[in-house]
């Protein structure tokens, strides 16, 4: 494959349209599948505001969810939220070719398995995005900061597909951290996300500093992080020493802010409870690691959803 | 004291005006101290709807919070909510005589101590109310069901004041459970309240059955009850065998309903977090009983308040 790869973005919201823009800028042919923003994007493309310069772009092809692909993609970027009731394998299946590589740019832990099981012979690249980006209207996106990807194969390794994509993303202007243990990197991100995100929803969308400074707050957050670290270790991914102190120092330095799950909650959107917390508790149970504090938060949020 | 006692109700909301009505019906002279409902009650008394018959009554005296008492009361019924920032001793002090007995009709655990410390030589009667009653407007009260009191001295015993009050309440038409271990009875009520009430607030006002039937819900509630029972036992009040099963059977039999703290939350009123949960966690710490699940709920709610 010497030509630039053909890419299809499924779930071209804020995240998907951002990374689509980057690959477009790198020279790829980039198509998108859209539902609610189909009309706007078909007419005007994506309009960006970004510190990286003008990222506005027009997809080479705009599909609706029931269309059939004109050409098979070399890579599919899957950027939908991981929610119960969203069958991601079914979403992807009509668009997959025999050799299409599936690239997940999604949050959370143990979110690759159902796709690895559904497409066992296709390449599978797992990415974590460190980015602040939000949809401000139909086809309109505000990229506030960052954009770095952590990338590797699921469950481990770093093959030629990773290498190719990494190069393209970097050519498009973002940093890529290459890893052959992407699951470990997901655990590392969970050390922060798994405590802070769901707890901020229980606290009705509280910001990071309000949470830390509430009576008993920092202590509870440390305990939750310790539980995540114990599960990660039992799962084969020991976390580096001092990770809790570093996380908390960074959080305090950044100042009060509302994390993405808090914002989803406050704006009435579904939260990725299983990807961020439920799967951690399930893995804890497999390894018989006690996680009473995480478990309490998970069940309280499930009661709220019930 | 052969005449009927003179009673003053402080905090004559739904609970206070109900028990005031009962004592009035028993023949007592009953005065009230009111803030927001002063005008309405001064003009029309309390208007009740109740299955116990017409409980509407006119206090012998209606005071505002800054008035001075015309006569010293034999008993003060204190029925305000137990909230941080509400100094109950200061609220009571201007109305207390040398021999005035203080009767608490309030929810929660370890709520007597600050009053026992403030008035060490006055009789102190501690009551738990099992009642469904709510204020429907200024001076207007709907008594839905129940009314039974559990009564004893704090921290233990059942003296002549208890005996006298118990007789009067029964003459007024309600059941009284007399106990010489009222703190144990408070613990017993906490086995239900301490898990269900704060958790219902975290679950955004969920009803009992939604909470029990959420994935992991009944299991979490059982675990929370076990933690309360462990603290009660360490505090010298072992709970009876089978209390958890009995509580849950009763809850399921009653059908879905929203507990009082859930209603307070949904109606924007302050919740008695310390009386119901904070004090239990504090006592757990004194006795070094681990309560990770209770602690998580407490801190999450404090984060929400912060």
């Amino acid at each position: 494959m010497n030509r630039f790869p053909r890419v299809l973005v499924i779930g071209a919201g804020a995240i998907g349209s951002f990374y689509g823009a980057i690959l477009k800028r790198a020279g790829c042919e980039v198509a998108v599948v859209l539902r609610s923003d189909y009309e706007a994007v078909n007419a005007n493309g994506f309009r960006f505001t970004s510190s990286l310069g003008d990222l506005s772009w027009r997809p080479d092809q705009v599909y609706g969810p029931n269309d059939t692909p004109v050409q098979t993609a070399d890579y599919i970027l899957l950027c939908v939220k991981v929610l119960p009731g969203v069958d991601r394998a079914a979403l992807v299946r009509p668009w997959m070719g025999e050799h299409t590589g599936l690239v997940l740019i999604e949050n959370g832990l143990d979110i690759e398995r159902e796709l690895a099981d559904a497409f066992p012979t296709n390449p599978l690249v797992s990415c974590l995005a460190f980015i602040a980006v939000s949809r401000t209207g139909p086809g309109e996106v505000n990229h506030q900061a960052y954009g770095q990807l952590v990338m590797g194969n699921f469950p481990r390794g770093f093959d030629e597909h990773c290498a190719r994509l990494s190069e393209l993303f970097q050519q498009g202007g973002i940093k890529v951290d290459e890893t052959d243990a992407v699951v470990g990197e997901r655990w590392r991100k969970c050390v922060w996300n798994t405590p802070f995100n769901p707890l901020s929803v229980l606290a009705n969308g509280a910001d990071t500093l309000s949470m830390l400074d509430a009576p008993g707050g920092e202590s509870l957050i440390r305990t939750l992080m310790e539980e995540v670290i114990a599960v990660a270790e039992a799962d084969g991914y020991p976390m580096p020493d001092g990770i809790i102190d570093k996380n908390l120092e960074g959080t305090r330095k950044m100042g009060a802010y509302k994390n993405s799950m808090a914002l989803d909650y406050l704006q009435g959107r579904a939260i990725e409870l299983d990807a961020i917390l439920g799967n951690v508790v399930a893995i804890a149970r497999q390894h018989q690691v006690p996680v009473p504090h995480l478990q309490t938060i998970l069940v309280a949020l499930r009661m709220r959803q019930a």
Side-chain angles (χ1 to χ4, degrees), chain A residues 124-159:
Chain A
L124 181 52
V125 177
S126 176
C127 301
L128 277 162
F130 293 77
I131 187 166
V133 64
S134 52
R135 177 185 173 283
T136 51
E140 286 170 20
V141 180
N142 178 226
H143 170 231
Q144 293 119 308
Y146 319 113
Q148 182 179 342
L149 289 178
V150 173
M151 180 188 289
N153 291 111
F154 177 80
R156 48 182 65 250
F158 192 86
D159 67 8

Side-chain angles (χ1 to χ4, degrees), chain A residues 11 28 51 63 87-88 102 107 121 149 158 172 204 287:
Chain A
C28 298
S51 59
Y63 294 110
D87 181 344
R88 291 178 297 146
L102 190 51
N107 246 326
T121 60
L149 289 178
F158 192 86
N204 273 356
H287 297 301

Side-chain angles (χ1 to χ4, degrees), chain A residues 112 124-128 149-160 162-163 166 176-186 188 236-237:
Chain A
E112 300 95 340
L124 181 52
V125 177
S126 176
C127 301
L128 277 162
L149 289 178
V150 173
M151 180 188 289
N153 291 111
F154 177 80
R156 48 182 65 250
F158 192 86
D159 67 8
E160 74 279 13
C162 289
S166 173
V176 178
D177 273 4
E178 306 181 344
T179 177
D180 57 8
V182 72
V183 176
E185 295 302 315
R186 288 193 176 272
R188 195 201 281 259
Y237 298 93

